Amino acid sequence: MRLLSVFFALETLIISSAVLVNAAGTVFVRPQVRVMTTFADFNARIMDHWGGGGGKFVKISKDSKHPFQGRTFGGAKRKEIKGTRAFGSGYPYGGGNQSTVAGRPFPFGTWPLYWDQNFMNSSEYGPQYDAIRPGGLLVYVPLRTTQDHFNITEDEVYYAVGDRESLLLTMISYVTWCHVIPAWPSKFDPTLPISTVKLENVIQYYRASSFALASPAYNNTFARIPNSDTKDSTPLPEGMEYSPFRKCIDNVIKDALAITNKPPDTRVVSILTAVFTTLWWVAGWVLILIFVGIFYILLFIRELLWSGPFFYLSNLWDRYFPDPEIKRREMQATREARRLEITYENYP
């Protein structure tokens, strides 16, 4: 459990994440991988763990100085993620020449694995570009479980091969859903003669051959045929074919492996921006009116206090209880004014 906790902590440190809130109000983090293709504007497409993919594909701009400038990437959907046991399989579009993977697009946002002896020209995606490979350099990780959860033999072990971030993300899902024993990944170098995972060991390719599931107990004698469209392969051993553990891993990869999501709908963003701008403007004016009202109320209270309550009460007394002498003079002035009016009316 301690190692699993470390995986969760590491995930939040190295991977950009989207914070989501479900209907119950629970906040959780959805891991993401950012795919940079240009230094012009630093825009990035997002590879989402459990994402649905889709949307329009885009081109790597030719002024980006990217080694694969001009190629398209993105647009593939989650349901298209699974290939076959043939290297170069699993391309929803851009398969082209089935005998090579050179020059192909990146439907899921990242480029394929590479194998020894420049198999199918895969050295085009070799370690020289690990520094900019979406998700980081290629690594592999062992996938083991215990007999407490699956009816398997003790030596049943699989290896996942792919970019570092994708493996770290799916490891969390392996542990959660398939009871995999947590393990740290190791650097993958297929050119080494003692490499743990070889081309012949792959039992399934995913995500346009950028991710693979392998087993040292499997040897595909058709693996070196340079044809990504071939259906020929050595059958899996019976125990592996019907293994619930292998099927669980396969399902997790299909559902959880990070793939490029469609870009956000700019129309929705524009509408939301306009709505929030209007609300901000209205709220600003409401606050101004509230402050003005408070200001005048304070002025009234100040005037009342500074004039003194006695002055205010004195005005009330004079209004309802006037001085008799003042009242007499006012009545005399009123009669004099009336007399003058009558004199004017009788003239001549």
Side-chain angles (χ1 to χ4, degrees), residues 293-335:
I294 293 174
F295 175 75
Y296 278 105
I297 291 173
L298 292 175
L299 278 181
F300 173 77
I301 296 174
R302 175 185 175 278
E303 187 67 25
L304 182 63
L305 294 175
W306 280 72
S307 298
F310 293 107
F311 178 80
Y312 181 72
L313 293 175
S314 176
N315 287 338
L316 288 178
W317 180 268
D318 290 342
R319 180 177 179 182
Y320 294 103
F321 305 100
D323 184 89
E325 181 62 24
I326 295 176
K327 187 174 183 180
R328 185 184 65 78
R329 291 175 183 175
E330 288 179 351
M331 292 179 63
Q332 184 178 356
T334 301
R335 286 196 297 267

Side-chain angles (χ1 to χ4, degrees), residues 29-154:
V29 176
R30 181 173 178 173
Q32 299 176 333
V33 177
R34 298 179 66 84
V35 181
M36 295 287 298
T37 59
T38 177
F39 294 122
D41 52 17
F42 292 98
N43 284 334
R45 289 290 292 272
I46 301 298
M47 293 178 65
D48 260 335
H49 186 53
W50 297 90
K56 295 182 179 180
F57 60 76
V58 296
K59 280 192 175 183
I60 302 175
S61 59
K62 292 188 177 181
D63 60 349
S64 64
K65 307 300 181 183
H66 195 279
F68 303 125
Q69 59 184 355
R71 299 196 196 181
T72 56
F73 72 96
K77 298 179 180 179
R78 169 70 61 183
K79 64 182 180 181
E80 301 168 315
I81 196 172
K82 196 169 181 179
T84 65
R85 293 181 193 130
F87 181 58
S89 62
Y91 278 77
Y93 66 85
N97 186 349
Q98 301 297 321
S99 65
T100 179
V101 293
R104 292 191 185 184
F106 315 126
F108 295 95
T110 185
W111 48 82
L113 307 173
Y114 67 91
W115 293 105
D116 59 317
Q117 302 176 21
N118 191 23
F119 181 65
M120 293 180 64
N121 303 113
S122 59
S123 61
E124 177 176 284
Y125 313 103
Q128 70 273 20
Y129 294 132
D130 272 353
I132 61 171
R133 177 183 285 272
L137 79 165
L138 292 180
V139 295
Y140 69 95
V141 65
L143 304 176
R144 296 183 176 89
T145 189
T146 63
Q147 293 179 323
D148 296 337
H149 301 287
F150 294 98
N151 185 20
I152 60 173
T153 59
E154 293 183 359

